[in-house]
Amino acid sequence: MSDRPSTVSRLATILLASLILGLLPQTPSHGANSSTFFAVQTPSVGEPLLSFHGVVSPATGGASVTIFQRVSDRWEPTGITTKTTNLGTWKVRGKFSPVENEIGFRAEVVTNTNSFTTNARKLVINPVANPEDPNFSLISRSGPGSRIYGADVSRWQHPKDKPINFEKMFRAGMRFVMIKASDTRDDSDALARKYLVMDRHAAQAAGLYTGFYHYATLPNTESRKVLISDAKAQAQQAVWRLASVGGYTELDLPYALDLENNCVRYINKRCTKFSSKRANTLWAETWLETVYEKTGRKPFLYSYPAFLERALNRSAKLRSYPLWLSHFGIDPGKSNVEPGKKEVGCFVHSWTTADCKSLWQIWQFSSCGIAPKYGVPGSRLDLNVYRGDVTSFLKLTKGKWEPLEGELLPFNETTTISISEVLATSTDKKVQIVAEVKRVTGEPVVTGSIELALSASEDSATTVNFRQTTVRDASGLFSISVRDLPAGSYNGEVIFKDPTKTHAEVSIPISFALLQGPEITPRPKPTKSAPTNPTLSGCRKQIKM
């Protein structure tokens, strides 16, 4: 698709003459084709910039589109032309001089079998900012925390097929929007394609940068060969979708892989099987690598901290791609907050730093934006901020990105463990054990937990059964509460384990004795009442703005 600006000649004579004249009747169409037509003044500096866009129906690729302007009593070509994409979309821009009255524009579309003109649009061309004005920026940092502000949209932002008013979104301070463009599932993919056609050019015409994302469903297999094949196929699906709308332009951010669910088998809408971390990691690495190779721009990976920790192995390959992190409930406008952190300790994944922060590039901080405020139908909108400055933002539109610097979490770091308290009296009371696990730096470990493992008693070959719960406090101390132990003397170990393999396993011996306490009569279990539907909104703890 051509997207070149052109300067209209004879501006003074043509524009002044057109102010006092109306529009001639539209030339009738010949054949079954039709096209929507939109004319919008796009935010710019220097000369006013007009964006024209539409969609030919039925979808026709390679059709010629020429923009005409109303001059006196006739329509004259402006010299602004383009061609339709495979999905029938088209967009083109041109520079004009400001005028006070409305100007009429329309498009002529020529296919292999048909030619027709669109409905006309009128607009006033307003003066724009002086490029020397230091207070004006097309990519303003008007979001929370003085960051570049954005949204992400899909079919859920189009109730009853209502369009999004992207011009209002721009005026509200947003500068980018990520659009769902593809999906593993056929029915969802068809909807993504439908709304991508509606949203991409309309957003760019309003002055917004656009990105894309692919919602992934993983295959039910552990076969390396099948995983790689499936990931490449879904990556190719995203590449074809991008090509079908004309490929990347200078107004596009990279594609993103939306990976937030690794359930591979459902029964009665309940997940009964999840794919392994090994399989998920291989699949994600392959998808990202394939899209990068075929498009020349590093794609994002979108997910949330618990999933990144639970479902993916730490990987240098994954870390070489930018992270779009979803973490709700904390205010990005506060200088002392960081997404991706637990109240105590770390979420451990490929982008986690040694101080438990995350090397994110885009942060989705709420799913509860006040949608009408941003020109979006419905009640809710996902809100995002971009981490870097304007320069790094523009580099992304050129396919350039380098991983952020930061000391990453270690692998199997040496640890030490000590027991600071053991409270064991009688069988009617809990045994309380307090232990501290430290890193080589002397600081508390940032992940993992401890458990009590008892040796078999001297007069028995079996291990005693008991219940234990472990709690970690804000200072990094672990407390174990042990129940149901009979009277006697006990030997065993307190063991620190870390399934994320950030810190090495370590243990320390422990001994204690319990006297026989009074018998405790079990309390009858309360009768469970039927569950009620929750009444709390999913937005109760989220940021609304």
Side-chain angles (χ1 to χ4, degrees), residues 200-418:
R200 194 240 192 148
H201 289 335
Q204 291 185 358
L208 294 161
Y209 286 79
T210 57
F212 316 89
Y213 70 91
H214 172 83
Y215 184 89
T217 301
L218 300 180
N220 184 5
T221 181
E222 291 294 317
S223 164
R224 179 180 178 84
K225 181 179 179 180
V226 176
L227 286 164
I228 291 174
S229 176
D230 184 84
K232 287 184 175 181
Q234 291 199 44
Q236 186 63 62
Q237 178 188 0
V239 172
W240 281 337
R241 182 57 43 79
L242 178 62
S244 73
V245 292
Y248 282 132
T249 73
E250 73 278 8
L251 299 174
D252 286 318
L253 298 173
Y255 227 107
L257 171 62
D258 181 347
L259 188 58
E260 54 184 290
N261 181 13
N262 65 318
C263 182
V264 293
R265 182 192 298 153
Y266 289 92
I267 296 178
N268 295 327
K269 297 183 178 181
R270 293 182 64 247
C271 185
T272 59
K273 182 182 179 183
F274 292 93
S275 54
S276 69
K277 295 180 74 170
R278 181 198 69 84
N280 303 335
T281 305
L282 174 62
W283 193 98
E285 290 173 346
T286 304
W287 191 99
L288 294 164
E289 183 178 41
T290 304
V291 170
Y292 180 34
E293 288 177 349
K294 292 181 178 293
T295 66
R297 296 189 187 183
K298 283 192 173 182
F300 285 89
L301 187 139
Y302 166 91
S303 198
Y304 58 96
F307 183 89
L308 293 171
E309 178 181 81
R310 182 185 72 248
L312 294 171
N313 290 321
R314 277 190 283 172
S315 157
K317 283 187 178 181
L318 290 181
R319 192 169 56 252
S320 68
Y321 296 92
L323 175 64
W324 177 9
L325 186 67
S326 177
H327 192 167
F328 302 154
I330 51 179
D331 187 352
K334 296 180 179 179
S335 59
N336 62 337
V337 301
E338 272 287 333
K341 295 185 69 172
K342 294 180 180 178
E343 291 186 10
V344 177
C346 284
F347 287 107
V348 178
H349 52 75
S350 299
W351 295 268
T352 307
T353 61
D355 57 357
C356 295
K357 297 178 181 178
S358 296
L359 297 176
W360 56 273
Q361 199 70 56
I362 296 177
W363 171 14
Q364 184 191 66
F365 65 88
S366 178
S367 66
C368 296
I370 305 169
K373 174 181 175 181
Y374 304 98
V376 176
S379 59
R380 293 173 60 168
L381 176 67
D382 292 343
L383 304 178
N384 300 265
V385 288
Y386 176 76
R387 182 173 197 146
D389 58 15
V390 173
T391 299
S392 68
F393 183 86
L394 290 174
K395 282 183 178 179
L396 280 177
T397 66
K398 301 181 186 303
K400 298 179 180 179
W401 180 83
E402 293 296 331
L404 297 173
E405 294 183 0
E407 182 186 354
L408 299 172
L409 283 177
F411 282 91
N412 286 323
E413 180 184 63
T414 302
T415 55
T416 59
I417 186 171
S418 60

Side-chain angles (χ1 to χ4, degrees), residues 48 107 128 134 153 188 199 221 250 268 333 350 370 379 440 448 463 469 474 536 541:
V128 297
V153 299
S188 297
D199 290 344
T221 181
E250 73 278 8
N268 295 327
S350 299
I370 305 169
S379 59
V440 291
T463 303
T469 57
L536 296 177
K541 294 184 178 181

